[in-house]
Amino acid sequence: MNLICLVKFVPDVEDFKYDVTRNVLIRENVKMILNPDDACALAFCLKVKEKDPETFVEIVSMAPTSVVGHLEDLLRRNFDQATLISDRMYVGSDTYVTSRILARYLEGKTFDCILTGTHSLDGDTSHVPSQVGEALRLHQISNIVKIEETQFKTGWPVVDVDSERFISSYRVGLPAILSVSKDSKYKLPFVKFKNLDLDVSAKIKIITNRELGFRADEVGLEGSLTQVAHTFTRNLQKEDRVFVKTDEEGIDTVYDFLHAKGFI
Amino acid sequence: MKKSLIYLDAENIRNSIDLLEVAELVHGKGEVETYALCIHQCPKEAYGKFDVIINVQDDSIQTYDVLNITNCLEEMHRNYTFDSILIPATHIGRMLAPRLSMRLHVGLVADVTAIDHHDGELEMIRPAYSGKIMAGIVNRGRVPIMMSVRQNIFSYTSHQVKNTLSINVYPTSIQASNISLLEMKVKEKTKDIRESTVLISGGGGVMDQFHRLDELALELNAQVSASRRIVDSGIATRKIQVGQSGHTVSPKLYIALGIYGSLQHIEGLKNVENIISVNIDKDAPICSLSDIVVEGDAVEFIEKLVEKIRREKV
Ligand SMILES: Cc1cc2nc3c(=O)[nH]c(=O)nc-3n(C[C@H](O)[C@H](O)[C@H](O)COP(=O)(O)OP(=O)(O)OC[C@H]3O[C@@H](n4cnc5c(N)ncnc54)[C@H](O)[C@@H]3O)c2cc1C
Ligand SMILES: Nc1ncnc2c1ncn2[C@@H]1O[C@H](COP(=O)(O)O)[C@@H](O)[C@H]1O
């Protein structure tokens, strides 16, 4: 089988420090990590490959070239190829543009399935998998916690999806885009000791706009259809607090609040 | 008059209807004609609230078939040319909105929690970096304006009753589908306080009657957690302790009963959307983080609220 896995490296948000006096997040020197959902998607690909060594797994990421080291680290775990889509022109792209760029690269590939994470720690939009799905006109399913491996090979996998209140099982025809959640508990193995210094540079391919051919006004900040106007930190202190007592009026206020918010 | 389309998702009908509030915030009260789109039959609650209800009549569309629902929405947009399309950020909505935005070649803002206007320009507010910061996002001029809206944030309170026009449509863009639902299982409840949507938490103020928290937890489908005070006195296990030396929790609702709210305790509350605190001292630090502060005895509060919930149920 040919599998493609879309991955993204994100700033480690747990590592963010908060500057209370300036009311901003300190983002300098924050380390980048593999997005947790994506690690699970990659781990699933390795499971398939373990059972069926013929499987070819390509990792695709759109990012600055500074992530090459991270990609090499992944390649030492038995992936077959990593493609980094990187061009100065792409800096500042929103999800719509990112998805178009990824889709243009993917259009030219043959694959049985594309695996992705469900959402990312930084943007946390979950847009990219569905938008790439639309651009390629493939079904796409988010929040997958399990993919049945034996049926996967037949081209009609059964996937379990966590939709908060239910776990639903769907059968879907490949090719499709399957987006895994970190609740799937698929675990990426460590690099084997003997492979720690393995030279994998030949397995990395860098794709730029020369290959993909977008006009400058279609990508990056200029091509984006949404724009971050400003960011701010949330004031922890609630401004419009309501004070009540344990009398009937107070209990009714609490009840109505719980009802309006959907807790009752 | 602007036209706004709201997708009614069967997964959370009441909240889908509440997106009417968002339509008014975006376009202005009385300036917008509201359309609802439902697959199969529209719920009764929606009548009288929308100007137009579009019932998609085609038995072959499944409510989880995002590709075909996108086809329907696109077809309706070609017919009506909406100025905005609002989609609740349910499990399906979060796959539907990005697909539709790609289809219509418009920008999309995810998980909107507030609407703002700056110098006449619409700004959609959403959390980013796991809620650590908020971002105001603007749309770069293309219509329709599209957003997915965080569930249960907005509520539509107008009592106006509209003369709803109900239309049945028979879409022409439905295609054969290769996705099917095999089964749905109700999720087993986990016992881990970190995974609970609602936490009923007790502290020094309910020391002698900590077990009474269970009654309220049962009614709200919640789990019970505790401050270190309770754990240190051996009333509860460390497993349910919230705070620096306990667990970090992110429930949607945290009810703090008799908890003071020391820094070490608050350290354990991350991205909690709603806090209600009950305390005899309305100036306890936890109260300054709360949406509602109930001044009074916590056990009395439990008894009365449980009674009210049970009464409303029948
Ligand atoms: C290194 C370190 C780590 C720590 N880690 C944690 C941690 O992980 N988690 C944690 O919780 N604590 C932690 N602590 C302890 C913390 O500082 C507090 O001591 C503890 O949280 C206090 O618990 P409390 O608010 O329940 O109790 P109290 O301080 O006893 O407060 C009780 C509150 O209940 C109110 N009250 C009293 N009677 C009633 C009534 N009948 N009805 C309603 N309200 C009433 C009072 O007004 C008061 O506000 C840590 C401390 C240190 C030094
Ligand atoms: N720049 C990118 N390169 C490759 N994959 C990406 C990129 N951005 C997002 N993805 C994929 O889309 C998923 C959801 O990300 P997001 O839409 O940013 O929440 C991630 O888990 C990745 O699998």
Side-chain angles (χ1 to χ4, degrees):
Chain A
M1 288 185 107
N2 283 325
L3 306 182
I4 294 181
C5 193
L6 300 183
V7 310
K8 173 177 182 179
F9 298 92
V10 296
D12 184 359
V13 280
E14 286 312 314
D15 213 29
F16 274 18
K17 297 278 178 302
Y18 190 72
D19 181 338
V20 227
T21 50
R22 288 189 305 150
N23 213 23
V24 291
L25 285 171
I26 304 168
R27 295 174 57 178
E28 288 87 51
N29 302 321
V30 170
K31 70 168 196 284
M32 299 293 276
I33 55 167
L34 175 64
N35 187 46
D37 283 13
D38 308 6
C40 295
L42 284 169
F44 171 76
C45 294
L46 284 187
K47 272 183 88 157
V48 174
K49 193 173 161 78
E50 209 173 280
K51 291 244 169 66
D52 177 13
E54 299 289 283
T55 304
F56 189 92
V57 187
E58 175 182 349
I59 301 170
V60 175
S61 187
M62 173 173 143
T65 48
S66 56
V67 306
V68 163
H70 289 286
L71 287 173
E72 286 180 341
D73 182 54
L74 290 177
L75 283 168
R76 293 192 182 99
R77 293 169 224 229
N78 202 21
F79 294 101
D80 300 282
Q81 189 193 319
T83 302
L84 176 63
I85 302 176
S86 197
D87 197 297
R88 294 284 285 277
M89 261 170 72
Y90 299 164
V91 174
S93 299
D94 69 354
T95 59
Y96 171 83
V97 172
T98 303
S99 302
R100 284 194 64 200
I101 295 169
L102 287 167
R104 185 164 296 179
Y105 172 72
L106 294 167
E107 267 163 18
K109 308 285 301 180
T110 45
F111 51 82
D112 297 289
C113 187
I114 297 177
L115 283 299
T116 78
T118 293
H119 41 111
S120 57
L121 280 185
D122 54 351
D124 191 16
T125 62
S126 282
H127 285 178
V128 171
S130 313
Q131 286 174 329
V132 170
E134 170 59 21
L136 303 175
R137 287 293 166 115
L138 297 175
H139 276 296
Q140 179 272 334
I141 305 176
S142 291
N143 288 315
I144 293 178
V145 290
K146 191 173 157 207
I147 304 171
E148 193 56 66
E149 279 159 71
T150 41
Q151 285 147 327
F152 187 70
K153 269 189 290 197
T154 67
W156 284 92
V158 173
V159 299
D160 287 355
V161 168
D162 183 342
S163 58
E164 275 196 36
R165 285 194 358 252
F166 301 100
I167 301 282
S168 313
S169 305
Y170 293 95
R171 186 189 295 285
V172 60
L174 296 184
I177 300 188
L178 304 183
S179 306
V180 179
S181 149
K182 64 174 174 301
D183 293 336
S184 63
K185 312 249 158 56
Y186 290 122
K187 274 225 164 55
L188 198 57
F190 292 108
V191 183
K192 293 209 177 85
F193 185 71
K194 65 171 184 0
N195 291 340
L196 276 177
D197 294 314
L198 196 66
D199 180 10
V200 290
S201 51
K203 291 181 172 179
I204 296 192
K205 195 173 72 185
I206 296 186
I207 296 279
T208 65
N209 195 54
R210 202 168 340 167
E211 289 86 352
L212 298 181
F214 284 97
R215 288 195 321 268
D217 64 350
E218 289 179 304
V219 292
L221 273 179
E222 208 185 334
S224 294
L225 302 181
T226 59
Q227 196 178 16
V228 179
H230 67 274
T231 58
F232 51 97
T233 45
R234 205 167 12 180
N235 195 350
L236 266 182
Q237 175 136 351
K238 299 266 170 156
E239 277 149 26
D240 34 10
R241 283 185 292 160
V242 177
F243 288 90
V244 296
K245 297 217 155 60
T246 50
D247 53 14
E248 193 178 331
E249 195 193 328
I251 298 296
D252 285 354
T253 305
V254 171
Y255 181 88
D256 292 344
F257 180 86
L258 296 176
H259 195 258
K261 299 267 178 186
F263 294 114
I264 298 180
Chain B
M1 193 71 112
K2 300 287 188 190
K3 289 183 191 164
S4 184
L5 177 70
I6 294 173
Y7 176 70
L8 297 193
D9 187 339
E11 196 184 315
N12 192 346
I13 278 295
R14 209 187 50 213
N15 177 245
S16 305
I17 296 172
D18 279 333
L19 266 50
L20 282 166
E21 169 78 7
V22 181
E24 288 192 345
L25 288 170
V26 169
H27 300 291
K29 231 188 171 86
E31 315 260 325
V32 56
E33 203 171 18
T34 52
Y35 291 69
L37 182 135
C38 345
I39 306 295
H40 312 314
Q41 219 45 54
C42 188
K44 278 207 276 323
E45 305 100 281
Y47 288 87
K49 295 219 164 78
F50 287 86
D51 293 296
V52 181
I53 289 180
I54 302 170
N55 287 298
V56 176
Q57 302 289 351
D58 186 327
D59 289 341
S60 67
I61 310 176
Q62 302 294 338
T63 49
Y64 54 80
D65 183 354
V66 179
L67 241 167
N68 272 321
I69 300 173
T70 305
N71 293 348
C72 288
L73 282 159
E74 182 192 16
E75 204 177 318
M76 290 310 120
H77 179 64
R78 304 277 171 239
N79 286 346
Y80 292 96
T81 323
F82 298 110
D83 296 284
S84 62
I85 299 180
L86 314 178
I87 295 182
T90 54
H91 168 66
I92 295 293
R94 294 193 69 164
M95 296 188 278
L96 176 62
R99 189 176 279 277
L100 183 63
S101 75
M102 195 68 162
R103 180 81 59 92
L104 301 178
H105 301 289
V106 295
L108 172 69
V109 183
D111 247 332
V112 171
T113 58
I115 301 291
D116 231 339
H117 295 270
H118 266 288
D119 307 321
E121 193 174 35
L122 172 72
E123 217 174 274
M124 293 158 269
I125 313 286
R126 63 174 305 254
Y129 292 99
S130 305
K132 287 209 160 78
I133 60 170
M134 304 297 286
I137 318 275
V138 296
N139 193 306
R140 299 278 294 274
R142 292 200 194 174
V143 280
I145 294 162
M146 271 198 73
M147 64 184 102
S148 65
V149 182
R150 175 75 68 93
Q151 293 187 75
N152 305 324
I153 296 273
F154 294 92
S155 67
Y156 182 68
T157 49
S158 164
H159 293 296
Q160 188 192 358
V161 180
K162 288 186 168 165
N163 196 356
T164 304
L165 175 68
S166 173
I167 310 175
N168 287 339
V169 299
Y170 303 85
T172 58
S173 51
I174 303 309
Q175 58 194 83
S177 181
N178 58 357
I179 181 168
S180 56
L181 177 64
L182 303 181
E183 72 166 327
M184 267 171 105
K185 279 182 295 213
V186 177
K187 238 163 95 177
E188 272 175 58
K189 269 219 307 219
T190 49
K191 285 277 182 276
D192 191 332
I193 58 166
R194 286 168 296 190
E195 288 171 22
S196 190
T197 330
V198 180
L199 283 178
I200 312 294
S201 203
V206 289
M207 191 87 101
D208 326 324
Q209 308 223 41
F210 187 70
H211 64 279
R212 303 282 312 259
L213 270 62
D214 292 338
E215 296 166 31
L216 185 55
L218 191 69
E219 293 302 330
L220 293 176
N221 209 354
Q223 286 185 49
V224 169
S225 57
S227 80
R228 178 161 159 181
R229 191 65 178 273
I230 295 286
V231 174
D232 282 352
S233 21
I235 298 169
T237 70
R238 180 97 35 213
K239 267 204 203 127
I240 67 164
Q241 180 183 323
V242 173
Q244 200 186 87
S245 44
H247 289 301
T248 300
V249 296
S250 308
K252 295 213 166 97
L253 171 67
Y254 190 76
I255 302 189
L257 301 164
I259 291 179
Y260 175 73
S262 65
L263 263 180
Q264 293 89 345
H265 186 78
I266 288 172
E267 181 68 19
L269 301 175
K270 285 266 153 66
N271 310 321
V272 179
E273 268 168 37
N274 306 287
I275 300 181
I276 297 176
S277 57
V278 184
N279 203 303
I280 46 176
D281 171 15
K282 69 175 180 2
D283 296 320
I286 186 85
C287 298
S288 72
L289 309 179
S290 307
D291 300 272
I292 302 183
V293 177
V294 182
E295 185 182 0
D297 178 63
V299 174
E300 188 186 335
F301 171 82
I302 295 175
E303 284 167 358
K304 288 184 167 167
L305 184 58
V306 166
E307 194 200 314
K308 166 93 179 163
I309 295 171
R310 290 193 183 141
R311 211 170 345 120
E312 293 287 337
K313 259 197 247 171
V314 291

